[in-house]
Amino acid sequence: MNEALKKEWCRLFDLGIQIKKIKPWESIAEDKLFVLHLKKRNRPVVLHFMGNATNNIAIFIYQTRKAQKNLSNMLYGTVDVIDPLSFLPTLQEGIGMDFNNRDELSDEEYQLVKDLGYSFRGKKQWLSFTAYVSGFVPRALNLSEIKLLADCLEMILDNENALKEMAKSDDNYCHLYDNKVHEMLPFDLYDENKGHPEVFKDKVLIKRLNKLLKQPITVELSYIYTNHLIENKRVVPMIVCSETKNQSIVFHDMIENPKLLEEKIVRYVTNMVKQVGRPERIVVRLEDVYLSLADLCEKLDIELVMSAQLPSFERAVNGLMDVIGMPQTLSE
């Protein structure tokens, strides 16, 4: 570990120790969020204290659009951005600081504590840090993530009055600013991060597909993150499309280059239309799948619906678990 990295790790640990002393999770309910407006970032970071309702004490920050929408779905049941049937370690998105017992630390986490010269005693006193990125297995923080989490903790510690006010307030969102000013204002985790439909530009293909007959069928389409890994870190997603009436799988595929995922989904749908005609309805669960297909479906007069309930898709995924060697952890 070089000196620059060690310095940033020590700063983060020191801030974590200070947070531990004031124990904000004891007075702040888990449905209350802090929206941090940092000078160096164009978008705010959302910070969440965990531990008021459970024995799992942690602080999470949600710094990306996807992370904040995923938090919105977890808290309010808005829109899925990661399919809930995915391999369990891939369901989170954000950066976490956990307060653990000694025996809950991995060997690597314990070694980091020792390498930095820290020593903790007692229950829920040992700090660990994890980066969660959908499509990847959880990993250690990189330098930029260490700095970002430290900046967020520092802002929290600089605004202890906001913590006290938030504990007593009926408001769910407290905005913090670099000048130590805070205010209670709404913040829509989903609408603030809403995406936009992808434009389907192949006019010739649209013209061809529109000549095909409409078929009175409904298909359900989504993708899950599997337990298959590329280079031991990137998770292989699997696309599954099923027809609701006959409960048959229309297509499925493991996508070994996840960067091509949305492109593959569009291609599979257009190929399906070529082979069987235009379905009456396509039901999807995930926002990015919806945005990938919205323009195409509008131009082909296919009803596109977003729903959390995909029973045919779920049965198809359950049936594929043994085939792909993924644990049967899904509910029937």
Side-chain angles (χ1 to χ4, degrees):
M1 184 187 308
N2 62 48
E3 285 302 314
L5 181 59
K6 185 174 182 179
K7 179 180 178 182
E8 293 300 332
W9 268 123
C10 287
R11 176 183 174 231
L12 180 55
F13 267 84
D14 289 343
L15 290 165
I17 291 167
Q18 292 180 57
I19 287 279
K20 187 170 58 177
K21 289 178 180 177
I22 63 174
K23 301 179 180 179
W25 47 84
E26 291 188 351
S27 58
I28 296 174
E30 292 189 14
D31 61 348
K32 294 177 180 287
L33 302 173
F34 291 84
V35 184
L36 312 184
H37 299 265
L38 300 165
K39 278 184 180 178
K40 300 173 184 177
R41 294 182 64 87
N42 294 327
R43 297 193 51 74
V45 176
V46 175
L47 184 143
H48 185 203
F49 290 111
M50 300 174 66
N52 186 269
T54 69
N55 196 38
N56 296 320
I57 301 171
I59 298 172
F60 268 82
I61 62 169
Y62 303 88
Q63 75 279 27
T64 66
R65 290 180 183 275
K66 190 170 187 176
Q68 291 178 16
K69 287 186 288 190
N70 195 43
L71 175 62
S72 175
N73 188 54
M74 287 192 293
L75 292 177
Y76 313 123
T78 48
V79 175
D80 286 297
V81 294
I82 303 172
D83 198 288
L85 301 192
S86 292
F87 186 45
L88 187 61
T90 69
L91 292 177
Q92 181 63 278
E93 175 107 7
I95 300 171
M97 177 175 74
D98 290 274
F99 296 84
N100 307 283
N101 297 330
R102 164 64 186 92
D103 59 3
E104 294 174 319
L105 263 63
S106 69
D107 291 342
E108 292 80 8
E109 290 166 340
Y110 179 72
Q111 191 60 51
L112 175 63
V113 173
K114 291 304 174 184
D115 288 346
L116 296 174
Y118 292 93
S119 180
F120 305 108
R121 290 183 180 276
K123 293 182 177 181
K124 301 300 178 183
Q125 298 296 312
W126 294 79
L127 300 180
S128 67
F129 305 88
T130 309
Y132 300 88
V133 181
S134 59
F136 291 83
V137 293
R139 56 167 175 77
L141 273 58
N142 60 36
L143 180 58
S144 63
E145 291 162 342
I146 294 168
K147 289 181 176 180
L148 176 59
L149 180 54
D151 288 344
C152 292
L153 297 183
E154 193 167 63
M155 179 174 275
I156 288 290
L157 289 165
D158 285 343
N159 286 271
E160 284 196 53
N161 287 337
L163 297 181
K164 295 174 183 177
E165 185 176 336
M166 188 62 155
K168 299 175 183 177
S169 173
D170 292 331
D171 293 292
N172 286 333
Y173 294 92
C174 179
H175 293 249
L176 303 183
Y177 303 91
D178 274 320
N179 57 3
K180 299 186 181 182
V181 171
H182 69 274
E183 54 186 345
M184 306 297 179
L185 290 173
F187 185 81
D188 193 309
L189 288 164
Y190 180 73
D191 283 345
E192 290 285 343
N193 296 288
K194 190 179 291 185
H196 302 284
E198 294 289 333
V199 177
F200 190 85
K201 298 178 181 179
D202 192 337
K203 296 180 180 179
V204 175
L205 181 57
I206 290 292
K207 190 173 182 180
R208 274 182 56 202
L209 297 180
N210 266 318
K211 292 178 181 179
L212 302 175
L213 293 175
K214 289 283 288 287
Q215 300 295 331
I217 62 172
T218 295
V219 298
E220 296 175 354
L221 171 63
S222 191
Y223 67 88
I224 68 167
Y225 291 115
T226 71
N227 61 344
H228 290 238
L229 302 181
I230 300 172
E231 298 176 350
N232 294 321
K233 58 181 181 178
R234 185 183 286 274
V235 178
V236 177
M238 179 174 67
I239 304 169
V240 179
C241 178
S242 63
E243 196 267 313
T244 60
K245 185 176 182 181
N246 297 323
Q247 300 296 314
S248 58
I249 295 177
V250 181
F251 60 80
H252 70 91
D253 195 12
M254 305 277 280
I255 308 302
E256 293 195 1
N257 184 353
K259 292 181 180 179
L260 300 178
L261 181 61
E262 293 176 16
E263 178 185 324
K264 288 268 192 177
I265 289 172
V266 173
R267 188 182 305 166
Y268 270 115
V269 169
T270 55
N271 286 341
M272 175 187 68
V273 173
K274 290 176 187 177
Q275 294 170 16
V276 302
R278 291 175 290 152
E280 182 178 316
R281 183 182 299 106
I282 299 176
V283 186
V284 302
R285 176 143 58 199
L286 304 181
E287 183 197 47
D288 58 347
V289 178
Y290 183 89
L291 295 176
S292 297
L293 296 176
D295 188 56
L296 172 66
C297 288
E298 182 179 355
K299 289 172 178 175
L300 295 180
D301 191 28
I302 298 171
E303 182 184 6
L304 181 64
V305 179
M306 189 152 57
S307 172
Q309 305 303 317
L310 300 184
S312 178
F313 165 81
E314 292 182 5
R315 279 189 288 271
V317 169
N318 269 313
L320 289 167
M321 290 296 97
D322 288 336
V323 177
I324 67 173
M326 190 166 165
Q328 283 278 1
T329 58
L330 311 180
S331 58
E332 294 287 349

